[in-house]
Structures are given as C-alpha cells and as structure tokens.
C-alpha cells in the first residue's frame, strides 16, 4: 500500500524541492501540498470527516509555515489527528529544537538542505509508526474521531453588547441537543461567566497556563461541570493573573478542549489579548456581537480591521451577530454588513431586556424561559451555526422565525412564519 504524504509548505521553492524528492521515494504517494496552517488543518478535518482511512500517513511541515508557528501547528495536528505522523523540516539541527519538536508531537525531523536518504529514512519510519497505530486501534473509529470539536469564539464590539450571554446560551443549546460542550471564559481580566451561572469554583484557565502537555485528567481537574452538563473553564478571580495565559498557552488549552468536546464555545470579551487573539485565529467560527447603534457598529468595524491587520481573521471569515435588534432601528443588519464587510448572522437577537433582567440579576441565565423571544433567538442562532445535533449544514432560519414552544429541547425546533399579503 502506498504511503500518502501531505506537504505543508508555504515557500514556492521549498514546495518544488520537497515534492520532487517525495515523488522519488519508493511506494510514496505525495498529495497536493497545502500552503498554510489553516489549509492543512481544514484539509485533514475534511478527510477525517469522510473516513479515518482517508487521512495521510505522513504530514511534512516546513519550519516557515504560517500563520500558526510550526511547533504549535504540529501540536494541534498531533492532538486532533493522533494517527497521523508529522515530520518537521528545519534548518536547525540542534538538540534543543529536536527535543522541542518531539515534545510537541512530531515523529521525526529532517534538516535543510534536503537529502534523499535522510528524507526516505524518516518518511519510512514515520509511515510504519502511523500504520502500526491504526492497526492497534483496529475498529478505532470509536476511539477517536480525528476531526476534533467545533470551536466558536464570541467577541464583543465593545463592552456591554451581550457577548457573554450569547456565548452561554450557545453552549447551553449545544449541550441540550446532546453534544458534549465546553464553555471557556477567555475574557481574562473581566470575565464573569461564573456570576451569570451563580457558581463558585477555585480553579480557572490560569491553572492550565504553565502546563505544556494537558492530559485528560489535568483538564478534568480544571473544569467545573455545571448542572446543565456544560463543562466550564473559568477566567481567574484575580484579573491581573490573566497575563499568565499567553498566546501559546491559549493554543494548548483550546486544542485540549477541542480534543475532548464536540463543541467548544469561547467568550473572548471586548478586549484583545494574545490569548484571545490565538483563540479567534484557531476558531472554526468567529462571532462578533454588536448592537445596532453608531458607537457599537464603529467598534465592530474597528475590531474587524484590527483582526485583519494583525492577520488574526479576515473580514469575510467573521460573522456579526446583531443583538437588541428591532424593526424600528435606523441601523439594520444589512447596513452593518456593508459597513464591516463581514457576514451577518440571519438570526438577530431582539431587544427585550425585561425577559433577561431577573435571570441576570439572580445569576441564573441558564433558567431563562424557553418561551422568551431572546432565548428562542439565541438558540435559533445555535441552530444556524450548526452547533446543535441535526442542524449541521441546514439552511439558516429566516430572521423573524419563532422557536416552537415547550422545554429547552423544544426551543431547538423552529417554525417559519407564514408571510401574508406579500
């Protein structure tokens, strides 16, 4: 059986050199190279969704791959696709990098300039390891999914626009539909998910910041299992400790959650830090919550432009969620879409704070009335995003649609309004 090899190389000259050598290897089947880290992870996820057997045995990562650094990318691939062997191609042959590459999950290292014998030896060894792992797993489709969980970040255009409430309700909707869900508070200085859910827990995301290899047991010790079933990883009680969560730590934490839960919702707040930037960059879906007023929309436009300048997220890869929407507002979603250059969620959240006030003041937002228009809209948003079972790939519900009345699970079923006289 030929060995499938996927090169991940951003430099055009390096691509030609590497693919030429790979094509000369016996029993090798190089596949089309990918140019960046995002394309690599998306390609592997797509193949794994079809079948674990569709994954390549070997991935070759060039040291200058971007935007995610090579070692961080290797760790993510190792966590999400554990039967894929990764080889790092680098000009640094020192023992320090070799040890670091092994710690991050690489199965081999090849030095530049490339030599046929060294590359052939490494590819052969890593391919044998990959085949052995898959044989050991046997019918191990139930042992690991390969694809990993869906990560959704929720950021605010400014403070007070409802990002935290949105994040909580998305997580609750996903969990209620039967998907294992984690909610991470990455608003490290002012995050207050614990208050919204009326809980006290001494551990926080900071407890994982210094751990490079987050095992399932370590992760389980750090999360709080809420009565609703959602696993909570909270922001630190002392805001100044948020600085301990670096962008590298954030990548490790998000990858660990993604490998354990079907859905990971991250509240990133309204302030950009290295940790929240890493989360937004890694997310499958990045939401930006705004209200339909001039100040908030300006903040949304500023945030979108900043993400683009810092190469965190392109405008077209960001989705705006309009909160406190009403038909009489001058600024409508279509105008916000034109101003920001982003996509806008079809589901807008209505302005009805009276439904929320009692639950927010009591710290019981998980007990919102399922008949309330705000909760129905937020759970409809979860359906639009494919976070609840049975909605993946479904068409987004029309703005103005109503959730069926009943309990929390009934709130996941949507009915369209009949348009009369149009």
């Amino acid at each position: 059986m030929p060995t499938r090899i996927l090169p991940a190389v951003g430099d055009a000259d390096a691509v030609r050199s590497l693919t030429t050598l790979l094509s000369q290897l016996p029993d090798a089947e190089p596949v089309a190279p990918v140019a960046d880290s995002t394309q690599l992870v998306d390609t592997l996820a797509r193949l794994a969704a079809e079948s674990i057997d569709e994954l390549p045995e070997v991935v070759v990562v060039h040291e200058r791959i971007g935007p995610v650094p090579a070692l961080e990318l290797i760790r993510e691939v190792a966590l999400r696709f554990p039967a894929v062997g990764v080889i790092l191609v680098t000009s640094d042959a020192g023992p320090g990098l070799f040890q670091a590459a092994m710690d991050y999950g690489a199965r081999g290292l090849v030095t530049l300039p490339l030599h046929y014998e060294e590359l052939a030896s490494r590819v052969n060894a890593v391919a044998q390891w990959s085949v052995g792992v898959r044989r050991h797993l046997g019918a191990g489709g139930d042992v690991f999914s390969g694809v990993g969980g869906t990560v959704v970040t929720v950021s605010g255009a400014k403070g007070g626009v409802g990002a935290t409430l949105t994040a909580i309700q998305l997580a609750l909707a996903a969990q209620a539909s039967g998907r294992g869900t984690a909610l991470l508070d990455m608003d490290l200085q002012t995050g207050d998910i614990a208050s919204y859910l009326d809980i006290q827990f001494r551990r926080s995301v900071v407890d994982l910041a210094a751990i490079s290899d987050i095992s399932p047991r370590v992760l389980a010790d750090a999360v709080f299992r809420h009565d609703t079933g959602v696993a909570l990883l909270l922001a630190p009680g002392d805001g100044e400790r948020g600085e301990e969560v670096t962008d590298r730590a954030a990548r490790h934490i998000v990858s660990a959650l993604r490998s354990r839960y079907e859905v990971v919702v991250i509240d990133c707040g309204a302030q950009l830090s290295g940790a929240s930037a890493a989360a937004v960059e890694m997310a499958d879906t990045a939401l930006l919550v705004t209200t339909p007023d001039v100040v908030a929309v300006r903040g949304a436009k500023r945030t979108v432009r900043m993400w683009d300048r810092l190469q965190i997220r392109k405008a077209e890869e960001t989705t705006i969620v309009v909160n406190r929407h009403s038909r009489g507002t001058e600024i409508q979603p279509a105008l916000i879409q034109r101003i920001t250059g982003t996509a806008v969620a079809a589901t807008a959240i209505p302005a009805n704070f009276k439904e929320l006030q009692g639950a927010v003041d009591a710290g019981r937002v998980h007990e919102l009335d399922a008949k309330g228009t705000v909760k129905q809209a937020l759970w409809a948003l979860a359906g639009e995003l494919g976070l609840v079972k049975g909605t993946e790939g479904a068409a987004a519900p029309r703005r103005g649609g109503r959730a069926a009345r009943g309990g929390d699970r009934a709130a996941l079923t949507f009915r369209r309004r009949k348009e009369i006289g149009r």
Side-chain angles (χ1 to χ4, degrees):
M1 178 178 176
T3 300
R4 292 161 296 180
I5 308 169
L6 174 58
V9 187
D11 180 80
D13 292 335
V15 167
R16 286 192 293 270
S17 174
L18 181 58
T19 53
T20 298
L21 281 178
L22 290 176
S23 64
Q24 297 173 6
L25 300 181
D27 297 323
E29 185 182 308
V31 297
V34 295
D36 58 46
S37 57
T38 301
Q39 191 179 356
L40 172 61
V41 174
D42 289 348
T43 298
L44 293 176
R46 175 177 52 79
L47 293 172
E50 297 174 7
S51 169
I52 299 302
D53 293 334
E54 295 299 317
L55 287 168
E57 285 78 20
V58 180
V59 170
V60 181
V61 175
H62 193 275
E63 63 180 354
R64 290 197 297 272
I65 195 74
V68 176
L71 290 179
E72 301 292 343
L73 177 60
I74 289 171
R75 175 177 288 278
E76 184 169 0
V77 171
L79 283 170
R80 295 182 62 182
F81 312 98
V84 174
V86 184
I87 296 173
L88 174 64
V89 177
T90 177
S91 56
D92 182 0
L97 179 63
F98 181 85
Q99 184 61 51
M102 298 303 107
D103 290 343
Y104 276 73
R107 302 304 307 178
L109 186 147
V110 176
T111 57
L112 293 169
L114 294 172
H115 297 285
Y116 175 86
E117 292 79 8
E118 182 185 14
L119 182 62
S121 174
R122 282 293 90 209
V123 166
N124 183 56
V126 173
Q128 289 182 3
W129 172 87
S130 176
V131 171
V133 169
R134 298 180 194 203
R135 186 182 300 117
H136 174 72
L137 291 174
D142 296 332
V143 177
F144 72 98
S145 66
V147 181
T150 298
V151 175
V152 177
T153 55
V154 184
S155 305
K158 68 180 187 65
V161 296
T164 297
L165 180 66
T166 300
I168 291 173
Q169 291 299 323
L170 292 179
L172 291 174
Q175 181 68 38
S177 76
R179 304 188 101 180
T181 304
L183 175 59
L184 168 60
D185 197 343
M186 198 62 88
D187 186 1
L188 297 172
Q189 292 188 338
T190 59
D192 217 10
I193 285 177
S195 295
Y196 275 77
L197 297 174
D198 191 28
I199 60 172
Q200 293 182 349
F201 189 59
R202 63 186 182 86
R203 294 195 181 278
S204 74
V205 64
V206 172
D207 293 301
L208 300 177
I211 302 175
S212 59
D213 187 10
I214 303 173
S215 67
R217 176 173 292 182
V218 169
L219 185 63
D221 287 341
V223 301
F224 177 87
R225 181 70 63 176
H226 192 258
D227 293 341
T228 59
V230 176
L232 304 176
L233 187 52
L234 303 173
D238 301 324
E240 65 274 14
R241 294 201 64 196
E243 296 181 358
E244 298 176 30
V245 184
T246 63
D247 56 342
R248 172 179 289 187
R251 292 184 189 280
H252 293 173
I253 293 165
V254 173
S255 294
L257 289 170
R258 178 179 244 155
S259 69
R260 299 290 295 174
Y261 297 94
E262 292 181 80
V263 175
V264 180
V265 181
I266 306 175
D267 178 8
C268 292
Q271 299 295 321
L272 186 67
S273 65
S276 62
V280 171
E281 185 181 4
M282 295 177 68
D284 299 293
T285 301
L287 303 180
L288 183 59
V289 181
T290 186
T291 47
D293 58 84
V294 172
V295 175
V297 173
R298 282 178 178 170
K301 182 178 180 180
R302 209 164 38 237
T303 299
V304 168
R305 287 183 171 180
M306 178 171 59
W307 286 357
D308 194 19
R309 288 195 306 272
L310 297 176
Q311 298 183 343
I312 297 170
R313 199 95 185 177
K314 295 179 181 178
E316 59 268 25
E317 296 173 349
T318 302
T319 300
I320 293 284
V321 175
V322 182
N323 189 22
R324 301 172 198 155
H325 172 263
S326 66
R327 294 183 183 275
T329 306
E330 279 191 42
I331 301 177
Q332 291 293 316
L335 177 59
I336 296 174
Q337 183 173 19
R338 289 198 298 271
I339 291 172
T340 60
T342 66
V344 173
T347 307
I349 315 305
N352 198 342
F353 186 70
K354 287 184 179 179
E355 292 181 8
L356 306 176
Q357 188 168 5
V360 171
D361 290 344
R364 309 288 294 178
V365 296
H366 53 290
E367 296 179 354
L368 286 178
D369 185 356
K371 298 179 181 179
T373 58
V374 174
K375 178 171 180 175
Q376 286 186 0
L378 286 167
W379 285 42
L381 176 63
E384 178 184 338
L385 299 173
L387 301 184
V388 299
K389 282 188 175 179
T391 62
E392 295 87 348
R398 273 192 340 209
R399 192 174 292 119
R402 292 183 301 166
R405 299 186 181 277
D408 281 353
R409 290 184 180 274
L412 294 172
T413 306
F414 313 113
R415 296 198 302 249
R416 292 185 181 274
R417 285 181 179 172
K418 294 182 179 178
E419 295 185 356
I420 301 175
R422 293 188 180 180

